[in-house]
Amino acid sequence: MLFTPAETKVVIVGGGTMGGDIAAVCARGGCAVQVVEPTTERRALLPDYFANTMTELGYENRIHLLSVAGSLEEVDWSDIDLVIECVPERIDIKQELFAKLEKYANPEAVLASNSTSFPISEIADGLKTAARMIGLHFFMPAHLVPCVEVVYGAKTSPLVGEGLTKLMTACGMVPVVVKKDLPGFLANRLQHAILREAFSMVDDGVCSFEDIDKAVRFGFGFRYIAAGPIMQRDHAGIEIHAAGGAKIYPTLNNSPHVAKCVSERVASGKFGMKTGEGFFPWTAETMKVERERYQEALRAGLKIIQKDLPQIK
């Protein structure tokens, strides 16, 4: 089961930030994309959002490939090849949706979830056609972060995974194949491993939140735009890593519990920008400035690695 964008029709269920950006990624590659968004207010914003995003990406000539529907019933399912779920991160909502999609979509259509945390096999539990169910995990903002995880569930057909990998590459993405359905998949497991140690050091009074960010952004993390952690070990010397690991590993945090500095903020309703305070305080103005800085940095980084990315035809 192999896709080429020009021959692929995609339905994305959920037109929020992730759904909208994923739609732009697929249209950028040449797929015809229909976004299902039941909320009237958000649905009304999507055409302008698509126009602005596709223009920013340099593919304004493919804006016509994007359309919007208000419900699953409005979609012509007769020739849909791929469905990508971008609904809220609740297992009951996702399972209910995929039960419906199994009835609406053709038997050969691929059903993909953008879930960030739930195992694909759990979402697919009870489906009669679980072989076509797969994870397709993008990173926010999806149209700027090139990586996408292709996550196999316990029953996922290898042909489905191979087809999606080919399609995402043709859309200019860098697919990472995750062959075992672990919680957090690949990237989030790595990210949480770093954060567990980082927050543990804050709890222990070793450093501040600000110094954690500086150490990553301006230290070892800065090098990751040039080479990943495995390639870095070849640059530095594997024997040096082995010696360092032997000394450091026994002292690393391996608690199964979330750090105190995190759990206390959750209990206090300090969730980050969305609540006006997280690890740092936020106002409307400081959020605006930070988001603009963040997006600008991502765009600049994208230019640096542009030659390493798949080229879109």
Side-chain angles (χ1 to χ4, degrees):
M1 184 180 295
L2 300 176
F3 297 121
T4 56
E7 300 171 355
T8 301
K9 292 189 176 181
V10 181
V11 167
I12 295 175
V13 184
T17 301
M18 284 300 294
D21 289 346
I22 293 170
V25 167
C26 295
R28 171 180 75 186
C31 302
V33 186
Q34 191 166 19
V35 178
V36 177
E37 174 50 56
T39 306
T40 304
E41 293 79 8
R42 177 61 184 173
R43 193 165 64 247
L45 296 174
L46 283 173
D48 284 343
Y49 184 79
F50 290 149
N52 293 334
T53 303
M54 295 298 286
T55 299
E56 175 193 340
L57 293 173
Y59 290 92
E60 57 268 25
N61 62 323
R62 294 184 174 177
I63 294 174
H64 69 282
L65 294 173
L66 291 153
S67 60
V68 183
S71 67
L72 297 177
E73 289 74 19
E74 293 180 26
V75 175
D76 178 2
W77 292 96
S78 62
D79 56 356
I80 299 301
D81 303 294
L82 170 65
V83 186
I84 304 174
E85 166 267 309
C86 295
V87 301
E89 196 71 358
R90 275 180 44 186
I91 189 66
D92 58 329
I93 294 177
K94 293 180 185 294
Q95 288 179 332
E96 181 181 357
L97 172 62
F98 278 99
K100 291 180 180 178
L101 292 176
E102 193 171 42
K103 297 177 181 178
Y104 281 115
N106 291 324
E108 63 274 14
V110 173
L111 306 181
S113 172
N114 184 50
S115 175
T116 61
S117 57
F118 294 117
I120 302 306
S121 300
E122 185 177 353
I123 299 174
D125 186 41
L127 295 184
K128 296 178 181 178
T129 56
R132 61 171 170 162
M133 173 72 187
I134 195 166
L136 196 60
H137 178 225
F138 293 80
F139 300 86
M140 188 180 295
H143 67 301
L144 294 180
V145 181
C147 186
V148 59
E149 292 180 308
V150 179
V151 186
Y152 286 53
K155 298 181 179 179
T156 301
S157 166
L159 292 178
V160 170
E162 292 165 8
L164 272 186
T165 298
K166 180 181 178 182
L167 178 66
M168 288 296 101
T169 301
C171 289
M173 300 297 288
V174 178
V176 172
V177 178
V178 185
K179 297 180 180 179
K180 291 189 177 181
D181 194 9
L182 297 172
F185 314 135
L186 190 158
N188 275 338
R189 290 179 72 87
L190 294 174
Q191 184 170 243
H192 275 271
I194 291 176
L195 287 171
R196 177 167 64 178
E197 185 62 30
F199 291 137
S200 173
M201 287 193 287
V202 171
D203 277 355
D204 290 343
V206 174
C207 56
S208 67
F209 297 122
E210 291 86 353
D211 283 329
I212 291 289
D213 281 353
K214 289 176 185 177
V216 176
R217 285 193 65 209
F218 305 112
F220 69 88
F222 176 75
R223 302 182 304 193
Y224 285 168
I225 201 164
I230 308 301
M231 181 64 78
Q232 284 289 344
R233 297 308 86 192
D234 265 7
H235 278 275
I238 299 172
E239 81 287 2
I240 296 174
H241 171 79
K247 185 70 173 179
I248 297 170
Y249 287 1
T251 71
L252 291 176
N253 180 278
N254 65 354
S255 171
H257 305 294
V258 174
K260 182 179 179 182
C261 63
V262 176
S263 60
E264 286 182 344
R265 281 169 171 76
V266 172
S268 300
K270 298 177 180 179
F271 301 155
M273 292 185 182
K274 65 178 73 174
T275 59
E277 185 176 356
F279 296 115
F280 309 102
W282 298 101
T283 65
E285 180 58 28
T286 58
M287 278 191 285
K288 180 176 182 294
V289 170
E290 170 56 21
R291 284 171 172 158
E292 289 176 353
R293 183 207 65 79
Y294 181 75
Q295 294 268 336
E296 182 181 353
L298 289 178
R299 293 187 186 97
L302 200 56
K303 290 181 180 179
I304 293 173
I305 63 171
Q306 193 65 52
K307 62 183 177 61
D308 297 325
L309 301 179
Q311 299 303 303
I312 300 172
K313 295 180 180 180

